[in-house]
Amino acid sequence: MPKKKIGVVGATGYTGSELVRILANHPEIEIAVITSESRAGEKFSDVHPFFKDIVDQPLHKADKVNELDLDLVFLALPHGVSMEYVKQFAGKGFKIVDFSGDFRLDSPKTYEEWYNKPHTFVEGFDTAVYGLPELFYDKIKGADLVANPGCYPTSAILPLAPLLANGIIESKGIIIDAKSGITGAGIKASATTHFSNVNDNFRAYGLKNHRHTIEIQGVLSGITAGVTLQFTPHLLPVDRGILSTTYARPKGATSGAKLKALYQDFYKDKPFVRICDTPPAIKDVRGSNYCNIYADFDERTGNIILVSTIDNLVKGAAGQAVQNMNIMLGFEESLGLNQIPVNP
């Protein structure tokens, strides 16, 4: 049976290179084209030297996609740019997995409120499916356009979903305290991501109005109406990884043992969610597509405490995108994604 032909649009950033790293060893696909508007004509390995003699194919302009018979295209592009390519590629016959936030929210109006820019392809909202496989597998399976979730939202939604779905916690007053490695900010340098501002430092940012707040809240409100939450991201002086600590109020009596049993049952058929006996660390998932979750109850404060970790470039981006691709193309969900975490 011939391999599926895949395009990668925007491969010069962290998520694009991570995507190619995973796809290069996928047994059922062929990377037919990799694009870069700024580096077209160079080899992919010129841009990312660690791919030398592994992936040396030339980079093309994105228009090259229109000349090929592809099965699926990944858009590893910034917010506000992806929507133009989704519009351009509409009706071309291939499926799309979009890494940006352009189609993750419930409407163009919500997008414009939180991203502070007009949406230029509102028709995409009619067909886009939120690509969190553990919750929306059946919808993803039949989708032509999947909005790959944000990295912070993935780390927050997965631990909260079982509690809201089973009516265990109050829908208001949830607090998410999340920390990410520097690659979550993308490959372009800024004053915030300058080495001297990150190294040996730790800071909060985006208080009250970070755009991932509405993404998390919107998805969780689809499980239980009226969710409101506080989300505060922090920048860690590490390359990759997210650790989120979440606090919620239970509606009734519970215990750590009951919570663990609930999570094990909820995620029993989900290959990339691991329920832990102790709070996980980011190196427990580094380089892998796993989300590790620890749940406990604090009798003193009456709070449920959740600790979750993911690799922001894998389960938070490229790995989850490949997981979505597998589902969309009819492959086993975990195909090509069984990398063991790198520790130390």
Side-chain angles (χ1 to χ4, degrees), residues 148-162:
N148 211 52
C151 50
Y152 277 128
T154 298
S155 76
I157 293 168
L158 288 174
L160 282 166

Side-chain angles (χ1 to χ4, degrees), residues 63 132 299:
D63 289 346
L132 193 57
E299 292 83 359

Side-chain angles (χ1 to χ4, degrees), residues 243-306:
L243 189 151
S244 294
T245 305
T246 300
Y247 306 92
R249 300 293 290 186
K251 289 183 176 180
T254 189
S255 67
K258 288 180 180 178
L259 291 172
K260 182 178 179 181
L262 170 73
Y263 277 83
Q264 288 176 329
D265 181 65
F266 193 89
Y267 287 122
K268 62 185 176 183
D269 298 320
K270 310 304 180 185
F272 295 114
V273 176
R274 302 190 295 186
I275 310 306
C276 301
D277 295 324
T278 57
I282 56 177
K283 280 193 175 182
D284 295 340
V285 295
R286 182 181 175 93
S288 79
N289 199 52
Y290 290 109
C291 174
N292 283 10
I293 298 174
Y294 172 79
D296 205 352
F297 176 67
D298 185 348
E299 292 83 359
R300 182 182 66 84
T301 62
N303 288 324
I304 289 175
I305 305 172
L306 309 171

Side-chain angles (χ1 to χ4, degrees), residues 149-230:
C151 50
Y152 277 128
T154 298
S155 76
I157 293 168
L158 288 174
L160 282 166
L163 300 178
L164 289 166
N166 287 277
I168 303 296
I169 59 172
E170 300 289 344
S171 60
K172 300 183 185 302
I174 298 167
I175 297 173
I176 304 166
D177 184 304
K179 305 94 178 170
S180 175
I182 193 66
T183 52
I187 201 167
K188 290 186 178 180
S190 69
T192 300
T193 61
H194 193 285
F195 177 82
S196 60
N197 288 332
V198 176
N199 183 58
D200 199 27
N201 200 5
F202 183 51
R203 63 188 294 268
Y205 65 98
L207 275 71
K208 300 192 293 184
N209 60 4
H210 193 284
R211 60 186 54 157
H212 281 151
T213 304
I214 194 63
E215 181 180 339
I216 299 166
Q217 191 167 285
V219 174
L220 293 176
S221 291
I223 299 173
T224 298
V227 170
T228 56
L229 54 86
Q230 195 85 51

